[in-house]
Amino acid sequence: MKKKMLLLNTTVLLGLGGVLSTPAYASTIQDMESQKSQIQNQRQDVQSNIKAASDELTRLQAEQDQMKAQLERLTIAEEENNKKAQKTEADIKETSKQVEQLEKEIKLLQEKLEKRNDILKDRARSLQESGGNVEYLQVLLGSSSFSDFVDRALAVSTIVDADRGILKETKNMQDELKTKQADVKSKLASLEDMKAELDEMTVQLAAQKKQKDALAKELKDKEAKNEELKASLQSKDSSLANEQSTLEQNIKDQKAAEEAARKAAEQAQKEAAAPAEQADSSSAKAEAPKASSNDVAPTSAPAPKASNVVTVGNRWIGNSAYVFGGGRSQSDISHGLFDCSSFVHWAYSQVGVNLGPLGSVSTETLKHAGTQVSSSQMQPGDLVFFDTYKKDGHVGIYVGGGKFIGAQSSTGVAIANMSSGYWKQKFNGRVVRI
C-alpha cells in the first residue's frame, strides 16, 4: 500500500514539475510584465504631457489676468483723458470769448485814439504852420486885463496838461489790453495744443484697447484648446491606468496560481519522502521597497530690488497707462496710472530722493529741481525734456544708449529712443541732473 502511495505521489510531483517548467506558463507572466512596463512608460509620457499642459494653462491664465488688469487701466485712462479733453474744450471756448471781448475793447479804444490823434495832428499842424502855438497865443492876447491874462494862461496850461494826460492814460490802457490779449491768445494756443494731444491720446488708447482685446480673445482660445488637450490626455492616462490595473491583477492571479502549484508540489514531495526526513519550509520574504524621494526643496528667487532710478520703473512697463494729471494719489500709483512728471517723481522717491510735493509736481517744477547740464554730458539718471504740446511739455529719465524711460501717452511707462524719430525731433536739449 505504501509503495502504491509513493508511486502516486511521485507521479503527481512529476506532473506538477512539468507544469511549473512549461515555457508557455512563464512566457505569459513575462508578456504581461512587458505590457505593464510599456503601459507605465506610456503613462509617464502622458503624465509629462499633462504637466506641460497644466503649466501652459497656468501661464496663459496669468497672462490673461495681466491682460485684463491692463485693459482696466486703459479704460480708466481713457475715461480720465476724455474728462480732461472735455474740460479743455470748455476752457478753449471760454478763453475764445475772452479773446473776442478784448479784441472789441481794443477796437473801440483804437477808434477813440484815432479821433484824439486827429485833433492832436491838427494842433501840431497849426503850430508848424504858424511857427508856434497860434491858437493858444490868440487866447492869451485876447485878454482884457492882466488878471484875465493870468486866468487864460492857467486855462491853456490846464488844457495842454489834460490832453497830455488823456493821451498817456489811453496809451497805457491800450498797452495793457494788448498785453492781456497776448496772454489770453497764448493760453488759448496752449489749450488748443493740449486738446490736440488729448485727442490723439484718446485715439491711441482706443487702439491699444482694441489690440489687447484681440490678444485677450486669442489667449482665451489658446486656453480652451489647452483645456481640451489636457482633458484628452487625462482620459488617456485614465484608460492606461485601467489597463495597468488589469494587468497587475492578472499578474497577481498568475503568481498566486504559481505559488499554489509550488506549495502543492512541495507538499507532495514531503509526503513522498521518508518519514524521518524533514522537509525544510521556506517562506518568501517580501522585499520592502526602499523609500526614495525625488522631492527637491523649493528655492525662492530673491525678489528684485530697485537699485537705482534708471531701472526701478521697469516694473511698470506693460503694466501702466498714461493719464493726463494722473499719478498724484496712492490709488493712481497702485493702478499704474501716471503722467510723465508724476512717474519721474515716483521713480526718484523709490531711491530715496524727494522732488517736492507730489500734488504739485510738473515739468515746470522738475526742470528747476536740479542742475542744468549740457546734453553732450548727459548720463543715466538725468532728466531729459521735450517740447510736445508746449515747451518742456514732456520729461523722462535718461537710461543711456540714446534712450529714456518715461510715461508716454501712447504706451504708458516704456523705454523710448530719443536718438532718432519722433523723440529726437521733440528733444529740446534741456538736461537736468538731480
Side-chain angles (χ1 to χ4, degrees):
M1 183 66 180
K2 288 182 178 179
K3 288 182 179 180
K4 287 182 179 179
M5 287 298 297
L6 180 60
L7 180 62
L8 179 60
N9 287 337
T10 302
T11 303
V12 171
L13 183 61
L14 290 172
L16 288 172
V19 171
L20 292 175
S21 62
T22 302
Y25 184 83
S27 176
T28 300
I29 294 179
Q30 289 176 358
D31 288 345
M32 286 190 292
E33 290 284 3
S34 176
Q35 290 177 23
K36 176 184 172 183
S37 178
Q38 290 176 3
I39 289 173
Q40 287 175 332
N41 290 336
Q42 290 179 34
R43 285 196 68 193
Q44 287 179 356
D45 291 341
V46 171
Q47 287 170 355
S48 177
N49 289 334
I50 290 173
K51 183 180 184 306
S54 297
D55 292 344
E56 179 65 8
L57 273 174
T58 301
R59 187 191 69 78
L60 288 171
Q61 287 166 356
E63 193 171 345
Q64 185 85 351
D65 291 342
Q66 185 179 7
M67 191 67 63
K68 287 178 181 177
Q70 181 65 1
L71 284 171
E72 289 176 3
R73 279 190 286 269
L74 291 172
T75 299
I76 294 172
E78 187 176 27
E79 290 173 355
E80 290 298 319
N81 287 324
N82 282 337
K83 290 178 185 177
K84 288 182 173 62
Q86 291 170 5
K87 184 180 183 304
T88 303
E89 183 69 37
D91 290 344
I92 288 173
K93 289 181 180 178
E94 181 62 29
T95 306
S96 297
K97 289 180 182 178
Q98 294 177 18
V99 171
E100 291 177 3
Q101 181 61 32
L102 285 170
E103 287 178 342
K104 288 179 181 178
E105 292 178 14
I106 289 173
K107 184 177 180 181
L108 290 174
L109 190 57
Q110 284 176 337
E111 291 175 357
K112 188 175 180 180
L113 279 174
E114 286 175 1
K115 290 179 181 178
R116 290 186 178 183
N117 285 338
D118 289 341
I119 294 173
L120 292 173
K121 286 177 182 178
D122 288 342
R123 289 179 180 176
R125 189 180 301 109
S126 175
L127 286 171
Q128 184 179 9
E129 291 174 352
S130 61
N133 194 334
V134 177
E135 293 177 4
Y136 293 156
L137 185 60
Q138 288 176 347
V139 170
L140 292 174
L141 293 177
S143 57
S144 58
S145 64
F146 180 75
S147 176
D148 186 26
F149 176 83
V150 171
D151 290 340
R152 291 191 180 207
L154 289 172
V156 168
S157 175
T158 301
I159 292 170
V160 172
D161 289 342
D163 284 345
R164 186 181 296 110
I166 291 172
L167 181 61
K168 184 178 180 181
E169 180 184 355
T170 306
K171 182 67 168 63
N172 290 340
M173 288 178 63
Q174 185 186 41
D175 291 342
E176 183 180 355
L177 282 173
K178 284 184 177 180
T179 300
K180 286 183 180 180
Q181 186 186 41
D183 291 342
V184 173
K185 283 185 175 181
S186 175
K187 179 182 177 182
L188 180 61
S190 178
L191 286 170
E192 287 173 344
D193 288 342
M194 185 186 298
K195 177 65 167 53
E197 180 155 326
L198 286 168
D199 288 343
E200 177 63 24
M201 194 185 308
T202 301
V203 172
Q204 291 171 347
L205 288 170
Q208 284 185 61
K209 276 190 65 180
K210 185 176 180 180
Q211 182 181 8
K212 291 187 182 299
D213 280 333
L215 184 56
K217 183 179 182 304
E218 182 182 342
L219 287 173
K220 197 70 178 174
D221 292 342
K222 286 182 179 179
E223 192 176 324
K225 289 179 181 178
N226 216 59
E227 286 280 11
E228 290 178 6
L229 174 61
K230 182 180 177 182
S232 174
L233 289 168
Q234 286 174 332
S235 176
K236 184 174 181 181
D237 182 61
S238 178
S239 176
L240 288 170
N242 289 335
E243 290 184 36
Q244 181 178 338
S245 178
T246 301
L247 280 170
E248 286 173 348
Q249 185 60 46
N250 290 341
I251 291 170
K252 183 178 179 181
D253 292 343
Q254 288 282 28
K255 286 184 175 180
E258 180 182 356
E259 182 69 11
R262 185 183 64 78
K263 286 183 178 180
E266 287 179 354
Q267 184 63 31
Q269 284 178 337
K270 286 179 183 179
E271 292 177 359
E277 199 175 32
Q278 297 295 327
D280 294 332
S281 61
S282 62
S283 59
K285 294 182 180 181
E287 184 180 351
K290 295 182 179 180
S292 63
S293 174
N294 293 326
D295 294 336
V296 179
T299 58
S300 57
K305 184 178 180 181
S307 58
N308 57 63
V309 74
V310 174
T311 59
V312 71
N314 290 350
R315 59 169 290 195
W316 294 115
I317 296 176
N319 297 304
S320 60
Y322 184 95
V323 174
F324 205 97
R328 286 161 179 79
S329 68
Q330 190 54 51
S331 175
D332 278 1
I333 294 172
S334 299
H335 289 87
L337 305 177
F338 296 97
D339 66 7
C340 61
S341 52
S342 65
F343 170 73
V344 169
H345 187 284
W346 173 86
Y348 268 93
S349 71
Q350 298 306 294
V351 295
V353 178
N354 185 356
L355 295 181
L358 176 60
S360 58
V361 66
S362 67
T363 53
E364 289 299 312
T365 63
L366 290 176
K367 74 181 185 182
H368 300 297
T371 304
Q372 302 234 359
V373 298
S374 169
S375 59
S376 62
Q377 298 175 334
M378 190 162 47
Q379 63 186 32
D382 290 344
L383 304 188
V384 287
F385 291 79
F386 305 84
D387 292 343
T388 51
Y389 73 95
K390 67 173 185 176
K391 185 170 180 59
D392 298 315
H394 188 71
V395 63
I397 301 170
Y398 187 65
V399 299
K403 296 180 180 180
F404 74 97
I405 186 170
Q408 277 72 257
S409 61
S410 59
T411 58
V413 176
I415 294 176
N417 189 352
M418 59 182 289
S419 60
S420 64
Y422 176 82
W423 291 111
K424 180 180 180 180
Q425 296 173 3
K426 296 298 181 178
F427 179 52
N428 61 18
R430 187 188 298 279
V431 179
V432 174
R433 184 161 298 159
I434 303 300

